[in-house]
Amino acid sequence: MTSELQKEIIQLKEEKNAIILAHNYQPKEIQEMADFLGDSLELCIKAKEVDDKEIIVFCGVDFMAETAYILNPDKKVLIPDLEAECPMAHMLTGKQVKEAKEKYPDAAVCLYVNSLGEAKAEADILCTSGNAKKVVESIEEDTILFGPDNNLGEFVQPFTNKKIIPIPGDGHCYVHKLFHKEDIEDARKKYPNADIIIHPESNKDVQELADYVLSTGGMLSHIKDSPNDEFVIGTEVDLITRLKSEFPDKTYYPLLEGAICKTMKLHTLEKLRDCLKNEKPAITVPEEIAEKSINAVERMLEVSK
Ligand code: 13P
Ligand code: SF4
C-alpha cells in the first residue's frame, strides 16, 4: 500500500518534472520509489538519456551524482543527503593523478568512475566494474595508470597485455574488503548447489575462489539467465533486495550479512521528499572540472556501446 509520504514524493516528482535514479545498494523503500535502478554504468547511460526532465534526483553516492551533473550541466542534480560520499573515491586526489602522470608521461590514465571530479578531470577514460575489461582493451598505450581501486585493477590485469600501474596503490572499498576466502569456503559447504558471485572490488584471493566475478548489473543479468536457482551474493546486501523483487522465485544468501555501505543508507523517504520540495541539496561540479572530465566520461560511454 502506498503511504502518504510515498504519495507526496510521486506528486512532487510530477510537479517538478523530476526523475529518480537509484543505485542497486539503496534501501528497499528508496528502490521502490526509483524510476530507474542500476549499477554505476547503467546509471551513467541513463543520466545521459534524461532529456525531458528538469531535475535528476540521484539516490546513490557523491561520485555517481557528480557524473550525472557532468553529463547534464544544465539540469539540477539533487541528492537527498549530501553526506553520502564514497570513501574510496576520496582516496585519490587530482594532485596525486597529476604527479603519477609526471612520473609516467607515456601512460594512459584510466580511472574507476568511483573517483572525485578533480581526479576525473585528469583522466583519459573512465571505467566501471561492468566495463573495465572492455575499456582497458580500448586503450592504445602500453602502460595504464589505474585507480583508485587496486582490486579492480588486479581483476583486469590477466585479461590484458598492458601494464597496469595502480594509483594511489592502496585504494579500496571498505565494504568489499570485509569478504575473506574463509567466507567463500564456508558458503561453499553450506550451499553446495549455489553459484557464488563476487564483486571485483573484493580481494584477489576471494575472487579466485568464487564462481563468477561481476558488477552488480552483471550479477542481475547472470541470475536472470541462469538455470540455477540458488546464489551466494558477494556484494552489498541490498542488491538482494533488488534481486528478490525482480526474480522472487530464486533464493539468495548474502556472503556476509554485515556487508553494508553506510553512506548508501543515508537516503531516506523523508529526505527524498524534502529534497524534491526544496530542490536542494544540489550536486554541482566546478565548470572547469566538468569541462575537463566530460571527454573521459563520453569516451567510456562510447566504448560501452
Ligand atoms: P557497480 O557499478 O557494480 O554497481 O558498483 C558500484 C559500487 O560502488 C560498488 O561498490
Ligand atoms: Fe564506495 Fe564501497 Fe560504498 Fe561502493 S560499496 S559506494 S565502493 S564505499
Side-chain angles (χ1 to χ4, degrees), residues 23-25 39-41 63-64 112 114 128-129 173 176 199 201 215-217:
H23 186 263
N24 291 330
Y25 296 161
D39 70 6
S40 312
L41 178 62
F63 74 82
M64 298 176 177
Y112 194 21
N114 301 37
T128 71
S129 50
C173 162
H176 291 86
H199 196 276
E201 286 176 12
S215 69
T216 62

Side-chain angles (χ1 to χ4, degrees), residues 206-222:
V206 179
Q207 291 184 26
E208 279 167 356
L209 289 184
D211 297 315
Y212 301 94
V213 185
L214 295 166
S215 69
T216 62
M219 292 186 192
L220 271 134
S221 308
H222 169 83

Side-chain angles (χ1 to χ4, degrees), residues 80-202:
D81 191 319
L82 211 45
E83 307 271 295
E85 294 183 342
C86 167
M88 184 209 280
H90 291 258
M91 289 175 189
L92 181 66
T93 62
K95 185 165 170 272
Q96 284 171 303
V97 184
K98 273 191 204 153
E99 283 166 3
K101 279 165 60 165
E102 276 162 26
K103 202 165 160 197
Y104 300 98
D106 296 330
V109 179
C110 175
L111 293 189
Y112 194 21
V113 72
N114 301 37
S115 51
L116 301 176
E118 62 178 51
K120 285 188 177 95
E122 300 298 326
D124 295 305
I125 190 163
L126 302 183
C127 72
T128 71
S129 50
N131 64 12
K133 283 189 224 166
K134 220 172 164 184
V135 167
V136 163
E137 228 13 84
S138 77
I139 294 171
E140 279 178 18
E141 288 84 344
D142 294 327
T143 309
I144 303 172
L145 297 168
F146 190 100
D149 189 21
N150 268 13
N151 286 337
L152 184 63
E154 286 206 5
F155 165 69
V156 174
Q157 184 63 86
F159 298 98
T160 174
N161 293 327
K162 294 166 206 294
K163 182 173 186 220
I164 293 184
I165 300 176
I167 49 171
D170 56 0
H172 64 275
C173 162
Y174 76 97
V175 181
H176 291 86
K177 278 269 177 194
L178 294 172
F179 302 134
H180 294 102
K181 58 185 190 358
E182 292 75 18
D183 298 317
I184 305 257
E185 284 159 0
D186 291 349
R188 188 79 70 196
K189 275 188 216 138
K190 224 164 149 191
Y191 312 112
N193 299 322
D195 284 358
I196 302 187
I197 320 177
I198 193 95
H199 196 276
E201 286 176 12
S202 313

Side-chain angles (χ1 to χ4, degrees), residues 187-188 191-197 211-212 219-233 243 247-253:
R188 188 79 70 196
Y191 312 112
N193 299 322
D195 284 358
I196 302 187
I197 320 177
D211 297 315
Y212 301 94
M219 292 186 192
L220 271 134
S221 308
H222 169 83
I223 290 165
K224 177 172 176 265
D225 297 334
S226 173
N228 201 350
D229 54 12
E230 274 186 74
F231 304 90
V232 173
I233 305 298
L243 288 166
F247 314 116
D249 297 336
K250 304 202 177 203
T251 307
Y252 312 100
Y253 311 104

